Amino acid sequence: MGNFFGTGSNYNDTENANEENFEIVLTKDAIDYAVDSLAEEINDDYADTKGLVLVCVLKGAVPFMIDLSRKITVPHEHRYITAKSYLDTESTGDVQIISNEPLNIYDKDVIIINDIINTGLTLNTLVKKIREEENPKSLECCVLLNKSSKRKYDVDVKYYGVTIDDEFVIGYGLDCNEKYRNLPYIAIMEPTTLTSSSDDGDDSKDGDYIPDPNEKSDSE
Ligand code: IMP
Ligand code: MG
């Protein structure tokens, strides 16, 4: 991925970010390339589907889901579901799933769309719950980013975009305390930025992962 590295020089919110702390791991072009490839695979695999549904895991997967959906030529529907798994800097070891409306995906071909897989807890829980409660015809997972070194829970992810190192990343939907989701690229945040950017810890409300800067690479 060496040719995708760069600097975050087009981010000007100096109140919220120190751009010197951003190291870009995926440029917008690299993201587009990954999204195009995934859409191509999905278009091939679901060419004969009688009903495809994309289930977006809020909030981080929103930009990915929308970009991917626009590239999927097979007719499909959208659903949205929230998964909460972290409280402050700790994983609760439990994922709370919130759905504002019935998924209504019985007998459909379903793909869960998430921004990133880390321990696998979020997707492992979602897959089990959707299989048991919704009885779709088929169920697959699609993630843009894969942190394979941190996997603790078994999940069968059919569609991976890019495998990244074990770093906390932001941008393109991924947040740190609700900030940086709007960045058009995906970048690494240094631990110094992580601690200084904490605001009200409100991220626990949407289940997003809040990094522990002191966390060792093999513990969670
Ligand atoms: P898992 O349940 O440990 O696989 O974590 C998946 C969830 O944690 C994702 O849906 C994200 O919300 C969040 N997450 C994991 N790693 C990162 C990261 O590097 N940046 C931002 N959010 C992350
Ligand atoms: Mg998130």
Side-chain angles (χ1 to χ4, degrees):
M1 300 302 299
N3 54 333
F4 295 141
F5 279 74
T7 57
S9 56
N10 59 337
Y11 189 73
N12 295 318
D13 186 351
T14 50
E15 186 190 334
N16 293 325
N18 175 359
E19 67 184 41
E20 287 171 18
N21 286 319
F22 292 165
E23 179 189 347
I24 296 181
V25 287
L26 281 179
T27 62
K28 180 72 177 93
D29 283 352
I31 294 169
D32 288 346
Y33 181 82
V35 171
D36 284 356
S37 306
L38 289 167
E40 223 170 274
E41 271 186 75
I42 291 169
N43 285 332
D44 285 352
D45 292 353
Y46 292 87
D48 299 324
T49 184
K50 292 197 170 57
L52 177 61
V53 178
L54 306 183
V55 177
C56 177
V57 182
L58 296 173
K59 307 175 193 168
V62 169
F64 174 45
M65 159 92 160
I66 297 305
D67 285 349
L68 184 69
S69 173
R70 281 190 285 228
K71 298 283 171 123
I72 294 177
T73 51
V74 175
H76 61 279
E77 297 176 11
H78 290 183
R79 301 287 189 276
Y80 295 85
I81 197 164
T82 301
K84 298 180 178 182
S85 61
Y86 285 81
L87 185 61
D88 297 328
T89 59
E90 299 289 331
S91 169
T92 60
D94 190 37
V95 183
Q96 196 186 348
I97 310 290
I98 300 168
S99 186
N100 289 325
E101 55 178 12
L103 288 180
N104 195 16
I105 52 174
Y106 171 74
D107 213 23
K108 302 277 190 188
D109 290 317
V110 174
I111 309 177
I112 302 173
I113 311 290
N114 206 7
D115 49 2
I116 188 166
I117 181 166
N118 190 28
T119 64
L121 177 63
T122 302
L123 283 177
N124 174 290
T125 307
L126 269 173
V127 164
K128 275 190 202 154
K129 184 178 166 67
I130 288 177
R131 272 222 175 93
E132 280 167 18
E133 297 179 8
E134 307 290 339
N135 207 7
K137 183 177 175 195
S138 68
L139 183 61
E140 302 291 353
C141 296
C142 173
V143 297
L144 179 62
L145 302 175
N146 171 34
K147 278 192 212 173
S148 55
S149 60
K150 296 293 280 292
R151 200 77 81 253
K152 281 184 180 172
Y153 298 84
D154 190 36
V155 195
D156 189 11
V157 177
K158 185 165 186 186
Y159 304 102
Y160 282 111
V162 179
T163 296
I164 61 168
D165 291 338
D166 182 22
E167 305 274 7
F168 193 81
V169 289
I170 48 154
Y172 195 65
L174 293 143
D175 74 306
C176 179
N177 295 329
E178 289 302 327
K179 296 189 176 100
Y180 315 120
R181 293 191 194 274
N182 58 311
L183 296 179
Y185 50 79
I186 292 168
I188 295 170
M189 287 188 74
E190 296 297 330
T192 49
T193 310
L194 299 179
T195 41
S196 64
S197 71
S198 294
D199 49 11
D200 57 5
D202 203 35
D203 211 9
S204 60
K205 290 177 187 163
D206 82 328
D208 279 350
Y209 182 102
I210 302 175
D212 177 355
N214 300 315
E215 182 186 71
K216 295 194 174 63
S217 63
D218 61 350
S219 65
E220 176 102 7

